[in-house]
Amino acid sequence: MSTLSKLNSERLSSALGYQFKDDSLLLKALSHRSVGSHNNERLEFLGDSLLNFIIAEALFQKFPEVREGHLTRLRANLVKGDTLADIAKEFNLGEYLQLGEGELKSGGYRRASILADTVEAILGAIYLESGMDICAQTVLRWYDSRLRSVSPDVSAKDSKTRLQEFMQERKKPLPKYEVLRCFGQSHSPEFEVSCDIGRGYAPTTAIAGSKRNAEQMAAEQMLQTLGIA
């Protein structure tokens, strides 16, 4: 297994706002399954659960009058893959990913699903090393601006629904989604999907571990193109 240089470790720790005592744990959190058995999948599983709980508690405290169903939608919007991928990009996380040769050649260091999973894996690693309080403090620091700007009055509808409603309101044809390719191993496929609304706009594309998630991410990019994300 490769190692993480002292310089890279210090740079990433500075970006994360957390200094790992055990660089081997950080390295494991950065290691995609394509590198072999010593990968971050178990840490990702743990981090996903931690993130959902920490954000749920933050929303529960912030909005004491908001009903459960709407809190659930607000949380889903904050912990979705494209939000996590955006956080990863803020850390320049792609520079530090440990990828197998195939993933490296196919641009895995830019893939939103891999970036999002790695953020969750890092959270799992922070929890194992420093416990729940430090993990929660880290998440809340990463999400500070997002939690301050979130409002129960803002729609928490998913991106595909929002884009479809936008087109319907203007009596335009509905967006068309197309699977451009499916690749990867049979037990962990990746889907590249395009979203096309015509009207002179170039289609947007996204890659994710499921067709549904790829469609949502492509729709989100189209909303950004339209200036309504």
Side-chain angles (χ1 to χ4, degrees):
M1 185 173 175
S2 61
T3 59
L4 195 65
S5 73
K6 179 175 174 55
L7 180 59
N8 280 345
S9 175
E10 290 176 351
R11 283 176 176 169
L12 181 54
S13 294
S14 177
L16 296 173
Y18 176 85
Q19 180 66 55
F20 275 89
K21 306 176 189 70
D22 181 359
D23 274 355
S24 67
L25 185 59
L26 172 59
L27 183 63
K28 188 171 186 178
L30 295 168
S31 298
H32 183 255
R33 59 177 174 264
S34 60
V35 303
S37 59
H38 196 68
N39 61 56
N40 64 8
E41 287 187 321
R42 284 171 54 82
L43 289 173
E44 175 202 335
F45 165 79
L46 182 59
D48 174 71
S49 298
L50 291 163
L51 178 64
N52 274 275
F53 170 74
I54 294 165
I55 294 300
E57 183 180 32
L59 292 170
F60 181 86
Q61 299 294 344
K62 183 178 176 66
F63 302 119
E65 304 301 323
V66 174
R67 295 175 65 86
E68 177 268 342
H70 196 43
L71 287 174
T72 297
R73 292 191 293 274
L74 291 172
R75 179 184 61 182
N77 198 48
L78 287 168
V79 304
K80 65 185 180 182
D82 48 355
T83 301
L84 289 171
D86 286 343
I87 290 173
K89 291 170 186 174
E90 292 168 8
F91 301 147
N92 293 317
L93 198 56
E95 296 180 14
Y96 309 99
L97 294 178
Q98 306 295 303
L99 303 170
E101 185 177 352
E103 283 292 348
L104 196 58
K105 288 181 178 178
S106 66
Y109 58 92
R110 294 189 302 264
R111 191 162 302 140
S113 59
I114 293 178
L115 291 169
D117 291 347
T118 306
V119 170
E120 293 177 337
I122 289 173
L123 287 177
I126 291 172
Y127 169 78
L128 290 178
E129 186 173 84
S130 295
M132 189 64 185
D133 287 347
I134 297 299
C135 183
Q137 289 172 24
T138 302
V139 169
L140 295 177
R141 187 166 57 251
W142 292 356
Y143 273 87
D144 179 60
S145 63
R146 291 173 172 85
L147 284 168
R148 280 190 284 110
S149 62
V150 72
S151 167
D153 299 324
V154 175
S155 171
K157 294 175 182 176
D158 64 68
S159 298
K160 283 185 66 177
T161 300
R162 290 172 60 208
L163 181 58
Q164 178 174 312
E165 290 180 351
F166 177 84
M167 301 301 287
Q168 287 175 327
E169 288 170 1
R170 287 153 182 79
K171 297 180 171 54
K172 302 295 183 182
L174 296 181
K176 294 180 180 179
Y177 299 90
E178 179 183 357
V179 177
L180 301 178
R181 60 184 177 127
C182 179
F183 56 98
Q185 300 178 2
S186 58
H187 67 281
S188 57
E190 296 279 350
F191 297 86
E192 182 175 14
V193 171
S194 68
C195 172
D196 188 358
I197 63 170
R199 303 172 61 209
Y201 289 96
T204 55
T205 62
I207 296 174
S210 73
K211 178 183 173 184
R212 179 180 180 278
N213 287 343
E215 288 177 346
Q216 291 287 355
M217 292 165 65
E220 178 71 21
Q221 290 184 34
M222 186 58 74
L223 288 170
Q224 292 174 6
T225 298
L226 294 168
I228 55 172

